């Protein structure tokens, strides 16, 4: 078949030496199975992006590439740039050599059996196919609650995200070309992809536990990521501050009217406590508000620099 689809699986890896050998075997099997089923072409491959790992991840990637260059490629970033940048680097580097790309984590938490369905939906005309989790049974209670709160908050702030979808998704070349036009340095892919438009599809799957190793997203990184998502896609927090300011002004106005009324009706005002409390409350609000505004100014500062989002140190490709 001359026009068979060429697929690339893009896998960001950060300190994944424990899990890497199993992941490589599984993904290679998947590619071969898709090829046997005549769903994808012989040029289809697995592209690992080493996000500046400090362990043996890159050596393992290079070894796989040596053993089987037609299936495995590798990209080594010059330093750790975080999951989103590593992923973007993989997507943009491979986009011209394939028809569709599926991004997937190295820990095999995402069910690779739905890849077939993703490919079929792409062949049926979907430009983007989202992998969406059926449930969050494999998450701890804390992760469940914070994740739910995050999706709710994002939609309240007017940022469109796909509920329970992380970064396991198929994107066609056209979607990737569109993504390449988004030059932002503060990157939150989950919020940008729905902005691209095109016909989309969904594949549901059950998310497994990590095969080995530990999560590379400790709490502070998760919090950072959530803040990034909000401040890079929504300016509603700044609006809310303005509204809050107006509200406070109205309250103080009412207080003045009230005090005048009390004065003329012959009551003296004792209220030291209320004064002190409001002083602190307002002080706190002001500092908080300055902080939020500063957060956005910081973002603008970083965006205007237009620094590269990643730097490739080495590229292993057939
Ligand atoms: N990852 C990365 N750079 C980082 C952190 C993570 O490339 O700075 C990769 C990691 O190797 C994995 C994926 O991003 O393939 C998701 O990370 P992880 O599974 O640790 O996140 P969790 O599933 O716990 O949210
Ligand atoms: Mg994981």
């Amino acid at each position: 078949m001359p026009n068979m689809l060429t697929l690339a699986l893009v896998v960001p890896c950060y300190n994944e030496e424990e899990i890497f050998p199993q992941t490589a075997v599984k993904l290679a099997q998947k590619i071969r199975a898709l090829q046997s089923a005549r769903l994808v072409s012989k040029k289809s491959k697995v592209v690992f992006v080493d996000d500046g790992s400090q362990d043996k991840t890159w050596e393992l990637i290079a070894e796989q590439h040596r053993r089987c260059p037609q299936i495995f490629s590798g990209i080594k970033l010059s330093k750790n740039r975080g999951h989103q940048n590593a992923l973007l680097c993989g997507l943009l580097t491979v986009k011209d050599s394939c028809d569709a790309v599926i991004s997937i984590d190295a820990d095999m938490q995402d069910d690779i059996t739905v890849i077939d369905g993703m490919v079929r939906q792409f062949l049926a005309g979907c430009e983007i196919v989202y992998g969406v989790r059926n449930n969050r049974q494999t998450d701890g209670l804390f992760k469940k609650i914070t994740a739910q709160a995050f999706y709710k908050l994002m939609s309240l702030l007017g940022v469109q995200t796909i509920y329970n979808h992380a970064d396991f998704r198929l994107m066609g070349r056209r979607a990737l070309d569109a993504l390449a036009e988004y030059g932002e340095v503060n990157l939150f892919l989950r919020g940008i992809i729905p902005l691209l438009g095109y016909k989309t599809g969904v594949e549901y799957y059950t998310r497994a536990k990590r095969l080995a190793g530990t999560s590379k997203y400790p709490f502070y990184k998760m919090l950072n990521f959530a803040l990034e998502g909000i401040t890079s896609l929504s300016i509603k927090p700044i609006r809310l501050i303005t509204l809050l300011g107006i509200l406070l002004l109205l309250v103080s106005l009412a207080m003045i009217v009230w005090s005048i009324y009390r004065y003329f009706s012959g009551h003296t005002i004792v209220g030291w406590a209320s004064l002190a409390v409001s002083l602190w409350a307002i002080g706190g609000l002001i500092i908080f508000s300055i902080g939020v505004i500063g957060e956005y100014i910081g973002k603008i500062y970083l965006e205007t620099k237009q620094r590269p989002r990643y730097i490739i140190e080495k590229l292993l490709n057939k």
Side-chain angles (χ1 to χ4, degrees), residues 16 19 105-110 143 207-211 214-217:
E16 298 287 10
I19 212 167
D105 289 351
D107 56 4
M108 296 290 99
Q109 286 190 280
D110 304 315
K143 178 112 185 192
R207 195 164 200 211
K209 281 212 156 51
R210 218 173 211 283
L211 274 184
T214 50
S215 172
K216 307 297 177 291
Y217 264 102

Short mmCIF file of all heavy atoms in Angstrom, two decimals, residues 16 19 105-110 143 207-211 214-217, ligand 2:
data_model
loop_
_atom_site.label_atom_id
_atom_site.label_comp_id
_atom_site.label_asym_id
_atom_site.label_seq_id
_atom_site.Cartn_x
_atom_site.Cartn_y
_atom_site.Cartn_z
N GLU A 16 14.13 7.85 33.70
CA GLU A 16 13.23 6.68 33.60
C GLU A 16 13.99 5.38 33.39
O GLU A 16 13.48 4.44 32.80
CB GLU A 16 12.22 6.88 32.46
CG GLU A 16 11.27 8.05 32.61
CD GLU A 16 10.18 7.85 33.66
OE1 GLU A 16 10.25 6.88 34.44
OE2 GLU A 16 9.26 8.69 33.71
N ILE A 19 12.29 1.96 34.18
CA ILE A 19 11.15 1.51 33.41
C ILE A 19 11.45 1.40 31.92
O ILE A 19 10.77 0.71 31.17
CB ILE A 19 10.00 2.51 33.64
CG1 ILE A 19 8.69 1.80 33.58
CG2 ILE A 19 10.03 3.65 32.69
CD1 ILE A 19 7.60 2.66 34.09
N ASP A 105 3.32 8.92 27.88
CA ASP A 105 4.33 8.96 28.93
C ASP A 105 5.16 7.68 28.92
O ASP A 105 4.70 6.64 28.45
CB ASP A 105 3.68 9.10 30.30
CG ASP A 105 3.10 10.48 30.51
OD1 ASP A 105 3.36 11.37 29.66
OD2 ASP A 105 2.38 10.68 31.51
N ALA A 106 6.36 7.79 29.49
CA ALA A 106 7.27 6.64 29.48
C ALA A 106 6.88 5.56 30.48
O ALA A 106 7.34 4.44 30.39
CB ALA A 106 8.69 7.12 29.78
N ASP A 107 6.00 5.90 31.44
CA ASP A 107 5.74 4.94 32.52
C ASP A 107 4.64 3.94 32.19
O ASP A 107 4.26 3.13 33.02
CB ASP A 107 5.41 5.68 33.82
CG ASP A 107 4.23 6.63 33.64
OD1 ASP A 107 3.65 6.66 32.54
OD2 ASP A 107 3.91 7.35 34.60
N MET A 108 4.11 3.97 30.98
CA MET A 108 3.10 3.02 30.52
C MET A 108 1.84 3.00 31.39
O MET A 108 1.21 1.97 31.56
CB MET A 108 3.69 1.59 30.43
CG MET A 108 4.79 1.43 29.41
SD MET A 108 4.19 1.54 27.72
CE MET A 108 4.57 3.22 27.29
N GLN A 109 1.49 4.17 31.95
CA GLN A 109 0.23 4.27 32.69
C GLN A 109 -0.94 4.34 31.70
O GLN A 109 -2.05 4.00 32.04
CB GLN A 109 0.22 5.52 33.56
CG GLN A 109 1.10 5.41 34.79
CD GLN A 109 0.86 6.59 35.71
OE1 GLN A 109 1.38 7.67 35.49
NE2 GLN A 109 0.05 6.38 36.74
N ASP A 110 -0.64 4.84 30.52
CA ASP A 110 -1.70 4.96 29.51
C ASP A 110 -1.79 3.66 28.72
O ASP A 110 -0.78 3.05 28.39
CB ASP A 110 -1.38 6.14 28.58
CG ASP A 110 -1.19 7.42 29.35
OD1 ASP A 110 -2.01 7.70 30.24
OD2 ASP A 110 -0.21 8.14 29.08
N LYS A 143 -4.71 13.19 45.07
CA LYS A 143 -4.56 13.49 43.65
C LYS A 143 -5.95 13.64 43.00
O LYS A 143 -6.17 14.51 42.16
CB LYS A 143 -3.74 12.39 42.98
CG LYS A 143 -3.56 12.55 41.48
CD LYS A 143 -2.13 12.84 41.10
CE LYS A 143 -2.01 13.13 39.62
NZ LYS A 143 -0.66 13.16 39.13
N ARG A 207 -6.58 4.04 33.28
CA ARG A 207 -5.17 4.34 33.52
C ARG A 207 -4.59 3.39 34.57
O ARG A 207 -5.14 3.24 35.65
CB ARG A 207 -5.03 5.78 33.98
CG ARG A 207 -3.60 6.23 33.88
CD ARG A 207 -3.47 7.72 33.96
NE ARG A 207 -2.18 8.08 33.39
CZ ARG A 207 -1.48 9.12 33.78
NH1 ARG A 207 -1.96 9.93 34.65
NH2 ARG A 207 -0.31 9.38 33.25
N ALA A 208 -3.47 2.77 34.23
CA ALA A 208 -2.85 1.81 35.15
C ALA A 208 -1.92 2.52 36.12
O ALA A 208 -1.71 3.73 36.01
CB ALA A 208 -2.06 0.79 34.32
N LYS A 209 -1.35 1.76 37.04
CA LYS A 209 -0.32 2.33 37.91
C LYS A 209 0.99 2.36 37.13
O LYS A 209 1.16 1.65 36.15
CB LYS A 209 -0.16 1.42 39.14
CG LYS A 209 -1.24 1.63 40.19
CD LYS A 209 -0.63 1.36 41.57
CE LYS A 209 -1.35 2.05 42.69
NZ LYS A 209 -2.78 1.87 42.77
N ARG A 210 1.92 3.20 37.59
CA ARG A 210 3.25 3.25 37.01
C ARG A 210 3.89 1.86 37.05
O ARG A 210 3.83 1.19 38.07
CB ARG A 210 4.08 4.18 37.88
CG ARG A 210 5.01 5.03 37.14
CD ARG A 210 5.66 6.01 38.07
NE ARG A 210 5.95 7.21 37.30
CZ ARG A 210 6.98 7.29 36.48
NH1 ARG A 210 7.83 6.30 36.37
NH2 ARG A 210 7.16 8.38 35.77
N LEU A 211 4.51 1.42 35.93
CA LEU A 211 5.13 0.09 35.91
C LEU A 211 6.29 0.00 36.90
O LEU A 211 6.47 -0.99 37.59
CB LEU A 211 5.67 -0.21 34.51
CG LEU A 211 4.70 -0.82 33.48
CD1 LEU A 211 5.44 -1.14 32.21
CD2 LEU A 211 4.04 -2.08 34.03
N THR A 214 9.41 6.17 40.23
CA THR A 214 8.47 7.04 40.96
C THR A 214 7.99 8.16 40.06
O THR A 214 8.60 8.43 39.02
CB THR A 214 9.17 7.68 42.18
OG1 THR A 214 10.38 8.26 41.70
CG2 THR A 214 9.46 6.65 43.25
N SER A 215 6.91 8.82 40.48
CA SER A 215 6.37 9.93 39.69
C SER A 215 7.40 11.04 39.58
O SER A 215 8.10 11.35 40.54
CB SER A 215 5.11 10.46 40.37
OG SER A 215 4.71 11.64 39.72
N LYS A 216 7.49 11.62 38.39
CA LYS A 216 8.41 12.74 38.20
C LYS A 216 7.67 14.07 38.39
O LYS A 216 8.16 15.12 38.02
CB LYS A 216 9.06 12.67 36.80
CG LYS A 216 9.71 11.33 36.49
CD LYS A 216 10.88 11.03 37.43
CE LYS A 216 11.52 9.67 37.19
NZ LYS A 216 10.69 8.53 37.55
N TYR A 217 6.46 13.97 38.90
CA TYR A 217 5.66 15.16 39.19
C TYR A 217 5.36 15.25 40.69
O TYR A 217 4.26 14.97 41.12
CB TYR A 217 4.33 15.12 38.41
CG TYR A 217 4.39 15.89 37.13
CD1 TYR A 217 4.54 15.24 35.92
CD2 TYR A 217 4.29 17.28 37.12
CE1 TYR A 217 4.59 15.94 34.73
CE2 TYR A 217 4.35 17.98 35.94
CZ TYR A 217 4.50 17.30 34.75
OH TYR A 217 4.55 17.99 33.57
MG1 LIG B 2 2.91 8.81 35.12
#
